Amino acid sequence: MFLSRFRVNTARPGARRLLSSPQAMHAAVMSSFPALLPTDTPNPDEPRVLWRLDHQARAEVILYIVSPDRPDLTHLVEQAGWPAVASPDTPGWQTKPYAPLLEKLSAGESWAFRLTANPVHTIRRKDSEPRKATAHLTPVHQMRWLLERQERCGFRILEKSNDKRLLPSGTTYHGKHEHHGDQYELTVRDHNNRSFDKSRNTDGNRNGKPVTLVTVTYDGRLEVTDPTTLRRTLTHGIGRAKAYGCGLHTLAPLTPPTPPASL
């Protein structure tokens, strides 16, 4: 497994085209692997290609890719990078083996994490209708979506200490439903509702209905509960819409607290 990092040159037209369409970015990412064909279907039992866009600032966008094979992002550098300064030593992206991090995971460790996901649930309006996947639209329900999956994904989201909570219990209630907005070391941000064309025909016209996708980004802190399961989560992704930049769950060392200044 490999983890790759590519900084997007947002000033270039090619970059703006890729950033405006998850379908176009998906195609560009998958083109980084010569052994993969556009018609290949991911095997659910094997690690797959996952990607995510992190908007660090208005003009700073980072593309992260986790993949079973080492990618060649030369075409992305040419379309959406800085090709004039690329060289064999600095090709325009960084790729590192992912195995060292995966192998050292152990139960009880704490990490910071980030995940962009498509939080959905299935509902039906009438008993006679089939169940339909519908996006969660409020931060409360989006947070609950991830909390419901933490155990099966091999981790536990850390709870805030009492001195960091605005409420003594960290929870509020609306009717019979418990809201955990102030209980966990977890934030939900960057709610994005996008609609894009999945494909076009040879005349440049749309094929079928556009795809509608709701995404959010989770930032938080977790404790490893099952290293084997968490390794699968990191290499297989969480939730739906993985082809469109969702599901990539990454870890980072926790930043140690800043010691108080000496008098």
Side-chain angles (χ1 to χ4, degrees):
M1 295 296 296
F2 296 89
L3 173 64
S4 302
R5 181 183 187 275
F6 172 80
R7 185 183 172 198
V8 180
N9 184 350
T10 57
R12 302 196 64 185
R16 293 194 291 270
R17 182 182 66 83
L18 293 174
L19 294 174
S20 68
S21 170
Q23 176 66 20
M25 183 62 79
H26 168 68
V29 169
M30 300 308 290
S31 297
S32 306
F33 305 95
L36 292 179
L37 298 175
T39 55
D40 288 345
T41 301
N43 185 335
D45 296 325
E46 296 180 356
R48 59 174 295 163
V49 176
L50 300 166
W51 61 273
R52 184 183 75 222
L53 288 169
D54 281 7
H55 295 260
Q56 313 281 62
R58 183 173 182 180
E60 185 179 8
V61 180
I62 307 296
L63 169 66
Y64 288 99
I65 303 172
V66 165
S67 56
D69 302 314
R70 183 182 289 273
D72 179 356
L73 305 183
T74 304
H75 63 296
L76 275 174
V77 175
E78 294 171 347
Q79 296 178 56
W82 286 266
V85 298
S87 69
D89 295 329
T90 56
W93 73 91
Q94 301 85 42
T95 296
K96 295 182 178 180
Y98 207 26
L101 183 145
L102 297 174
E103 292 170 357
K104 76 176 186 179
L105 293 175
S106 60
E109 288 183 336
S110 295
W111 295 81
F113 75 89
R114 177 168 292 175
L115 164 70
T116 293
N118 170 228
V120 300
H121 61 135
T122 57
I123 61 172
R124 63 161 63 99
R125 290 177 298 178
K126 299 178 182 178
D127 292 340
S128 59
E129 293 181 348
R131 299 186 71 88
K132 180 181 179 182
T134 304
H136 286 300
L137 299 179
T138 66
V140 167
H141 292 97
Q142 291 162 350
M143 183 177 291
R144 185 185 301 159
W145 177 89
L146 184 58
L147 292 170
E148 290 173 348
R149 285 157 177 77
Q150 58 181 337
E151 182 177 353
R152 76 185 80 158
C153 290
F155 61 86
R156 177 182 69 86
I157 297 175
L158 297 176
E159 296 191 21
K160 293 180 180 179
S161 59
N162 288 332
D163 62 330
K164 292 183 179 179
R165 295 179 180 179
L166 298 177
L167 299 171
S169 65
T171 61
T172 58
Y173 291 86
H174 181 69
K176 298 180 179 179
H177 300 290
E178 185 178 10
H179 297 174
H180 303 281
D182 191 42
Q183 182 177 354
Y184 292 92
E185 295 275 6
L186 178 65
T187 59
V188 182
R189 60 179 180 82
D190 294 348
H191 179 108
N192 199 337
N193 191 343
R194 307 188 65 173
S195 180
F196 57 93
D197 296 332
K198 185 173 182 179
S199 61
R200 292 178 178 268
N201 58 30
T202 55
D203 297 326
N205 297 318
R206 294 179 178 177
N207 284 331
K209 296 181 179 179
V211 176
T212 299
L213 182 66
V214 173
T215 66
V216 295
T217 296
Y218 300 89
D219 284 318
R221 298 184 173 196
L222 61 77
E223 178 186 298
V224 181
T225 57
D226 185 335
T228 300
T229 302
L230 181 55
R231 291 185 192 102
R232 179 179 175 85
T233 297
L234 297 176
T235 56
H236 289 68
I238 300 177
R240 301 186 180 214
K242 297 182 180 72
Y244 300 131
C246 296
L248 175 53
H249 187 280
T250 54
L251 304 179
L254 288 176
T255 303
T258 303
S262 300
L263 296 178

